Amino acid sequence: MCPKCSLKNIIKIGKRRGIQRYLCKDCKCKFQHKRRPEQLQKIIFEEYFLHRQTLKQLSAKYRKSISWIMKQRDEYIVDCKVHNPRPVNLICDATFYGKRKDKLGTLVFKDNEFKKILIWKHIESEVVKDYKYLKEELIAYGYTIQSATLDGKRGLYKAFKGISIQMCHFHQKKIVQRYITMRPKLEAGKDLKKIVLRLTQTTEKNFTLKLDEWYEIYKDFLEEKSVSSTTGKLHYTHPRIRAAYRSLRTNLPFYL
């Protein structure tokens, strides 16, 4: 309802600083609804924790000081989670905030179909026992875990034994990228990158075939060894490309 003429002939005309604005088609008055403090606190809380907005970004968006943003974030009271037990396909991941020394993170289990967070736990480091704990909590609530998409951390597959598992494609690409960089200089690295880029667009059979073909071409290259200038011992000449290939080969059963 228009606050000036009290008529309801209004339309949306966009947002300012995240707040919806309206236009009254009768009196041409432009206005916005005032937010209740708890509503704004909820938005800031979700933008910070769920959408990974930094304090600096939120400060600029709402034109408030960083200390004010922190106060709104910290004063928001999270509603108790209401569970609706059902068969679910999980996406499991951990997010860390600040610097490594802060040891502040959250492990989240999300329902892939409805994009809803089912359960979470604040953590200092990413360890398998926390994944096991949340898995058992969900089962205790009555959920049936049909599958779990994981980041490939060692030991996680055993934590979900008996449950269908998929390796997160994003994490696998990042692992390979960490070893061969975004712009590999060697031909082996360039060809391996092309294969990885098609991970989400292929079948298990075709991806395996391409990986096998790549290995046959560069098998001798991967086995090359050099003498260390410091120890005088033999070591593999291209250890990073070997590590990238080994990661792909190890996680192959869990891609598709």
Side-chain angles (χ1 to χ4, degrees):
M1 181 180 295
C2 175
K4 188 174 182 179
C5 66
S6 299
L7 297 177
K8 298 182 179 181
N9 191 16
I10 60 175
I11 58 173
K12 294 181 180 180
I13 57 172
K15 294 183 178 181
R16 177 185 294 173
R17 286 184 289 171
I19 302 176
Q20 182 67 56
R21 291 178 57 77
Y22 301 88
L23 169 67
C24 177
K25 297 176 71 174
D26 293 305
C27 68
K28 307 304 179 185
C29 169
K30 296 180 181 179
F31 63 96
Q32 65 189 36
H33 290 305
K34 293 184 178 180
R35 284 178 171 160
R36 292 181 297 173
E38 60 268 23
Q39 290 179 318
L40 183 56
Q41 287 178 353
K42 179 180 179 182
I43 293 171
I44 291 175
F45 180 89
E46 291 180 346
E47 288 180 337
Y48 181 80
F49 285 105
L50 302 183
H51 303 292
R52 302 187 181 185
Q53 296 291 296
T54 65
L55 293 172
K56 186 176 181 180
Q57 289 171 328
L58 293 173
S59 174
K61 179 177 179 179
Y62 294 102
R63 299 181 185 179
K64 298 287 187 179
S65 67
I66 288 179
S67 60
W68 185 89
I69 295 294
M70 292 177 64
K71 181 180 179 181
Q72 305 309 309
R73 178 201 65 185
D74 296 341
E75 288 184 352
Y76 175 67
I77 301 175
V78 181
D79 295 333
C80 292
K81 175 70 178 178
V82 178
H83 288 280
N84 176 27
R86 59 190 182 274
V88 291
N89 297 297
L90 297 178
I91 296 177
C92 311
D93 196 14
T95 299
F96 289 88
Y97 322 101
K99 299 179 180 179
R100 186 182 294 271
K101 65 179 181 180
D102 295 332
K103 294 184 177 180
L104 175 62
T106 305
L107 177 60
V108 172
F109 280 20
K110 186 176 181 180
D111 181 346
N112 185 45
E113 181 179 358
F114 295 100
K115 310 302 179 185
K116 297 290 185 180
I117 294 176
L118 300 177
I119 196 170
W120 63 89
K121 184 179 188 295
H122 293 305
I123 57 176
E124 294 185 355
S125 60
E126 193 174 0
V127 292
V128 176
K129 68 177 183 180
D130 289 326
Y131 282 84
K132 287 183 177 179
Y133 171 79
L134 291 187
K135 182 198 71 173
E136 291 167 1
E137 284 290 294
L138 278 185
I139 294 174
Y141 281 128
Y143 289 91
T144 301
I145 303 176
Q146 296 180 319
S147 69
T149 300
L150 308 171
D151 64 5
K153 183 177 178 63
R154 186 173 298 177
L156 285 188
Y157 297 151
K158 293 181 179 179
F160 289 84
K161 186 177 181 181
I163 297 172
S164 179
I165 296 173
Q166 183 181 41
M167 170 69 178
C168 174
H169 292 163
F170 173 80
H171 282 90
Q172 182 61 76
K173 288 181 178 180
K174 285 298 182 181
I175 291 172
V176 174
Q177 179 181 307
R178 187 168 67 243
Y179 287 126
I180 66 176
T181 75
M182 293 183 65
R183 295 182 177 85
K185 297 180 179 179
L186 298 174
E187 287 301 316
K190 292 178 181 179
D191 289 345
L192 189 60
K193 180 183 176 181
K194 291 177 182 177
I195 295 173
V196 174
L197 287 177
R198 295 189 59 81
L199 179 58
T200 59
Q201 306 166 0
T202 187
T203 63
E204 179 180 4
K205 182 179 179 180
N206 288 338
F207 186 81
T208 304
L209 179 62
K210 291 294 183 181
L211 197 61
D212 289 342
E213 290 175 349
W214 179 91
Y215 179 75
E216 287 301 320
I217 294 172
Y218 295 104
K219 179 167 57 176
D220 293 337
F221 174 83
L222 295 175
E223 294 299 320
E224 288 181 8
K225 291 186 177 181
S226 305
V227 178
S228 171
S229 58
T230 55
T231 64
K233 296 181 179 180
L234 282 174
H235 63 88
Y236 287 108
T237 307
H238 312 289
R240 299 187 70 81
I241 293 182
R242 286 177 56 87
Y245 169 74
R246 185 169 59 248
S247 174
L248 288 168
R249 179 59 67 181
T250 301
N251 294 322
L252 186 59
F254 307 104
Y255 290 146
L256 305 161

